């Protein structure tokens, strides 16, 4: 993101009001805009140069071109490392990366082997996305990464297979209700394992803490910029890490809910229509269309549930942080996405 580029002067966090949910939705829609995936390396360097020009005070005010450059930088670079996030694991590629996997999990009549393969594929993608977009102030060891991966895969496969075997045994429900319950099994597996995946992948942050920074007001920022001072870390906080990881896990569940619930329920209704009965080959493209449409709208809504750059009272964190900024002092940290 732009915070990782040279220069003492901070860019406005967004052209939208991030104190409101809908402001964060619009900001998240920018971050998830797949058009930024087509920006070339030269285009990225040009965007970085323009953003740096503002931060170095060579450009005095925000312009449409500068907002566009900030959008490219924010959707491409990791805020902690300043390096591009691997393209398939960026939030701007999230809908595309997940489309085929989600369609596979939601395929009607999926057998045991197919269920296992798609759940493994989904959790592999989740591990990659969570790792690529996590807070990087606390390193994750390879052994922890591998252990977290296998635990998440085991959890998702266990839930999926367990519910698939349980639903047929449920008595006193109509065939239609049984069909709906069967179609919702992937949601239960994805939601539970997805949240667990985040906690496992980012458990090191909770154990060691993440960097917390003071949250100066605009006047203080301008004064620091004039004096050439950087905003330095106040130290690592385990409580801030717990908040960051918990909010990210919840946002994953919020994102999965409409994507894994609405398309299968709508498809059940559509499959009863004469048009789709006569054209069974259209089930797959219809399913893909439903998933794509839902995903495009669901991702910004889920990402906006919590601010990416979280601001909180120091009194809610460790005593070491409170001693530096006071009980009512405001601090901030990168939640990760």
């Amino acid at each position: 993101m732009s915070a990782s580029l040279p220069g003492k002067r901070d860019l406005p966090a967004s052209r939208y009001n991030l104190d409101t949910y809908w402001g964060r939705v619009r900001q998240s829609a920018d971050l998830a805009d797949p058009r930024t995936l087509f920006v070339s390396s030269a285009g990225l360097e040009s965007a970085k140069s323009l953003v740096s020009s503002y931060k170095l005070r060579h450009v005095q005010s925000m312009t449409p071109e500068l907002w566009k450059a900030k959008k490219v930088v924010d959707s491409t670079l990791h805020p902690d490392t300043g390096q591009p996030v691997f393209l398939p694991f960026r939030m701007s590629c999230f809908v595309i990366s997940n489309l085929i996997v989600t369609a596979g999990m939601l395929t009607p009549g999926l057998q045991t082997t197919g269920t296992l393969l798609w759940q493994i594929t989904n959790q592999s993608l989740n591990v990659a996305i969570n790792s690529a977009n996590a807070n990087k102030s606390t390193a994750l060891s390879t052994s922890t990464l591998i252990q977290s991966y296998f635990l998440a895969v085991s959890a998702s496969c266990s839930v999926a297979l367990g519910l698939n075997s349980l639903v047929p045994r449920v008595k006193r429900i109509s065939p239609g209700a049984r069909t709906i319950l069967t179609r919702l099994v992937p949601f239960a597996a994805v939601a539970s394992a997805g949240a667990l995946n985040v906690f496992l992948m980012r458990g090191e942050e909770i154990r060691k803490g993440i960097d917390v920074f003071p949250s100066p007001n605009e006047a203080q920022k301008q004064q620091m910029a004039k004096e050439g001072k950087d905003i330095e870390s106040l130290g690592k906080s385990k409580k801030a890490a717990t908040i960051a990881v918990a909010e990210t896990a919840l946002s994953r569940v919020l994102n999965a809910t409409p994507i894994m619930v609405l398309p299968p329920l709508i498809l059940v209704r559509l499959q009863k229509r004469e048009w789709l009965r006569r054209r069974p080959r259209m089930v797959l493209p219809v399913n893909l269309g439903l998933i794509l449409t839902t995903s495009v709208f669901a991702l910004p809504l889920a990402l906006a549930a919590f601010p990416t750059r979280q601001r909180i009272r120091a009194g809610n964190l460790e005593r070491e942080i409170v001693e530096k900024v006071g009980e009512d002092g405001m601090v901030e940290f990168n939640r990760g996405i």
Side-chain angles (χ1 to χ4, degrees), residues 20-270:
T20 67
Y21 174 68
W22 288 111
R24 295 196 298 273
V25 168
R26 298 178 71 182
Q27 172 70 4
S28 298
D30 275 354
L31 290 176
D33 188 345
R35 291 175 297 180
T36 60
L37 298 172
F38 299 100
V39 176
S40 64
S41 297
L44 175 59
E45 290 303 318
S46 176
K48 289 167 63 177
S49 176
L50 186 55
V51 170
S52 294
S53 295
Y54 179 90
K55 296 186 70 175
L56 293 169
R57 296 183 178 276
H58 299 155
V59 175
Q60 297 306 314
S61 60
M62 295 297 290
T63 62
E65 292 77 16
L66 189 50
W67 280 118
K68 184 177 179 180
K70 184 180 184 299
K71 174 180 175 178
V72 170
V73 168
D74 286 351
S75 63
T76 305
L77 303 185
H78 193 283
D80 293 329
T81 66
Q83 298 299 313
V85 175
F86 187 45
L87 190 146
F89 308 145
R90 296 175 193 169
M91 282 298 114
S92 51
C93 197
F94 188 93
V95 171
I96 300 171
S97 298
N98 277 270
L99 179 60
I100 301 301
V101 177
T102 304
M105 290 188 292
L106 294 179
T107 300
L110 203 60
Q111 300 301 311
T112 300
T113 302
T115 298
L116 286 173
L117 288 176
W118 283 116
Q119 288 296 332
I120 291 171
T121 303
N122 181 58
Q123 289 309 314
S124 299
L125 181 60
N126 281 346
V127 165
I129 291 174
N130 289 337
S131 176
N133 293 281
N135 184 298
K136 298 297 184 182
S137 64
T138 300
L140 180 67
S141 66
T142 303
S143 61
T144 302
L145 179 66
I146 294 173
Q147 182 184 24
S148 300
Y149 168 72
F150 282 109
L151 286 172
V153 167
S154 299
S156 65
C157 291
S158 298
V159 171
L161 294 179
L163 290 178
N164 273 335
S165 64
L166 179 64
V167 170
R169 300 176 188 174
V170 177
K171 300 179 180 179
R172 297 180 181 178
I173 61 172
S174 66
R178 194 184 305 278
T179 298
I180 290 174
L181 287 176
T182 301
R183 298 285 180 91
L184 293 180
V185 165
F187 163 67
V190 168
S192 57
L196 176 63
N197 194 315
V198 174
F199 277 99
L200 291 172
M201 287 296 301
R202 299 180 60 180
E204 204 70 12
E205 296 175 30
I206 296 176
R207 288 187 287 272
K208 295 183 178 180
I210 59 174
D211 283 328
V212 174
F213 300 87
S215 182
N217 56 38
E218 286 302 318
Q220 291 171 327
K221 286 181 180 179
Q222 293 177 8
Q223 184 62 32
M224 292 177 71
K226 289 180 181 179
E227 296 175 359
K229 293 182 179 179
D230 287 323
I231 299 178
E232 297 182 356
S233 172
L234 297 169
K236 291 187 180 294
S237 168
K238 295 179 181 179
K239 291 183 178 180
T242 301
I243 294 171
V245 174
E247 289 182 349
T248 302
L250 181 55
S251 72
R252 288 287 192 274
V253 175
L254 293 175
N255 184 54
T257 301
I259 296 172
M260 302 298 293
V261 171
L262 294 180
L265 294 182
I266 294 173
L267 189 61
V268 166
R269 297 294 299 272
L270 292 177

Side-chain angles (χ1 to χ4, degrees), residues 288-301:
L288 286 172
L290 290 171
I291 293 168
L292 177 62
T293 303
T294 308
S295 299
V296 167
F297 290 100
L299 182 59
L301 295 173

